[in-house]
Every structure is written in structure tokens, then in C-alpha cells.
């Protein structure tokens, strides 16, 4: 019996910047949610189910619009769960009000995409009972174009694809929430 020899090759891939390296001083704050804290009932699906107030500043030169997302990477789907996607927020807008999603309070020209709940509005935290704590990552992106070709039917994955190629900077607030059995 012959011994098998394992051969490994090292492949050098070009460096591709990831969004977390593109912070450039953007700051995201909120009157409703706090980084590292438990998500308040107002932003939970079975509670108020309202999009949180968000405010941002410090976008880099060249910012022509903004986008906002809320993503749960801990959902038991194999691909996470998109709770909110918004694009084409005009560059002169620097905040969204509590409960703005799905209302006339959203900035003119902005588009809310399809979430994994299916409607094109904010869907609050709703992890399966007993699954443990989930993270909810609210992110604002400074975008290098005034308009992205996204619609109410665009998926969260499609939003993420566009952000990969058009985000100049980003900032996030991460909250947690757990449904107990």
C-alpha cells in the first residue's frame, strides 16, 4: 500500500476592500437604539414594529446619496435575514424619524426594498423562541452615486451587492434581541 502525499497550493488573490475598512469617520447615532444594547420593544416585530430613528454625519467627499439596512446574521437560514433595506436617500438628508418606514416621512426619492418578511417596509426583530440572542445590525452607507437601480422588489442580497461596489463609507449600530420560549 502506497502512502498518499497531500499537495497544497498557495494562491494569491488580489486584495478586495471590505466595507468595514471604509468607515472614513462616518458616525451613526439614534435616539431609539444603542450600540451593544438590547433592542427596545418599539423595534421588535411583536412590539411596536417601528423603524428606529437614525441620524448620521461625517460622510466623505463624493457622497451623492445614502442607503440604510438592518440585517440579522444569526437567523437560522444559512444566509441571515434582511429586516430593512433603503436606498436612494438624497445626500442632503442626514436622518430618518422613528416609524418613518412605509410612510410619507421617508425622504422623497428613497426606495425601501423587499425584506425577508416580504413587504418593502421595516420588519422588527422576531427570532425563533429559544434560538438564543440575535444581532441586529443597522448600517448607513455613504453612496457614490445619486441613484441605485433598486426597486421595492429588490432583495436584501441585491442591496448588499450594490453596497459592495458603491459604498464610500459606512457606520453601524448593533443591537441584540432574544425571544424566550
Amino acid at each position: 500500500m502506497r502512502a498518499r502525499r497531500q499537495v497544497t497550493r498557495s494562491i494569491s488573490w488580489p486584495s478586495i476592500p471590505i466595507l468595514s475598512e471604509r468607515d472614513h469617520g462616518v458616525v451613526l447615532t439614534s435616539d431609539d437604539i444603542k450600540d451593544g444594547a438590547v433592542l427596545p420593544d418599539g423595534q421588535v416585530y411583536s412590539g411596536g414594529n417601528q423603524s428606529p430613528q437614525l441620524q448620521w454625519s461625517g460622510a466623505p467627499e463624493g457622497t451623492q446619496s445614502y442607503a440604510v439596512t438592518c440585517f440579522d446574521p444569526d437567523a437560522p437560514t444559512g444566509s441571515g435575514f434582511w429586516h430593512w433595506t433603503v436606498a436612494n436617500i438624497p445626500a442632503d438628508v442626514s436622518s430618518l424619524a422613528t416609524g418613518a418606514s412605509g410612510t410619507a416621512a421617508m425622504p422623497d426619492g428613497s426606495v425601501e426594498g423587499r425584506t425577508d418578511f416580504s413587504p418593502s417596509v421595516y420588519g422588527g426583530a422576531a427570532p425563533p423562541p429559544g434560538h438564543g440572542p440575535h444581532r441586529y445590525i443597522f448600517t448607513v452607507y455613504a453612496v457614490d452615486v445619486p441613484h441605485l437601480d433598486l426597486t421595492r422588489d429588490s432583495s436584501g442580497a441585491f442591496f448588499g451587492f450594490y453596497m459592495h461596489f458603491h459604498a464610500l463609507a459606512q457606520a453601524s449600530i448593533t443591537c441584540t434581541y432574544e425571544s424566550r420560549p
Side-chain angles (χ1 to χ4, degrees):
M1 192 168 181
R2 274 201 305 195
R4 288 186 146 177
R5 191 175 102 194
Q6 184 175 12
V7 177
T8 59
R9 294 182 187 177
S10 176
I11 299 173
S12 177
W13 295 96
S15 176
I16 299 172
I18 57 175
L19 289 177
S20 62
E21 294 175 351
R22 301 182 195 172
D23 63 8
H24 298 291
V26 175
V27 175
L28 177 62
T29 60
S30 175
D31 293 337
D32 297 328
I33 60 174
K34 302 296 178 221
D35 193 53
V38 173
L39 201 61
D41 286 342
Q43 282 66 55
V44 173
Y45 191 78
S46 62
N49 199 37
Q50 291 189 318
S51 56
Q53 184 273 344
L54 299 173
Q55 185 169 336
W56 53 89
S57 62
E61 186 175 327
T63 299
Q64 296 187 46
S65 66
Y66 294 98
V68 170
T69 61
C70 177
F71 181 69
D72 170 5
D74 303 311
T77 63
S79 60
F81 198 95
W82 293 94
H83 287 262
W84 197 23
T85 57
V86 186
N88 303 334
I89 300 169
D92 62 351
V93 173
S94 61
S95 66
L96 296 174
T98 301
S101 178
T103 73
M106 289 300 291
D108 288 342
S110 66
V111 61
E112 293 184 270
R114 181 174 42 85
T115 68
D116 287 331
F117 282 113
S118 286
S120 299
V121 295
Y122 175 80
H131 195 255
H134 284 216
R135 292 168 290 164
Y136 295 88
I137 305 169
F138 294 84
T139 305
V140 63
Y141 302 89
V143 179
D144 66 352
V145 294
H147 178 83
L148 295 168
D149 192 22
L150 294 165
T151 69
R152 292 181 55 80
D153 294 324
S154 297
S155 70
F158 207 50
F159 267 73
F161 178 82
Y162 269 89
M163 291 311 103
H164 179 80
F165 292 102
H166 291 283
L168 297 171
Q170 73 178 55
S172 297
I173 295 173
T174 302
C175 299
T176 60
Y177 185 78
E178 179 176 7
S179 292
R180 302 208 184 256

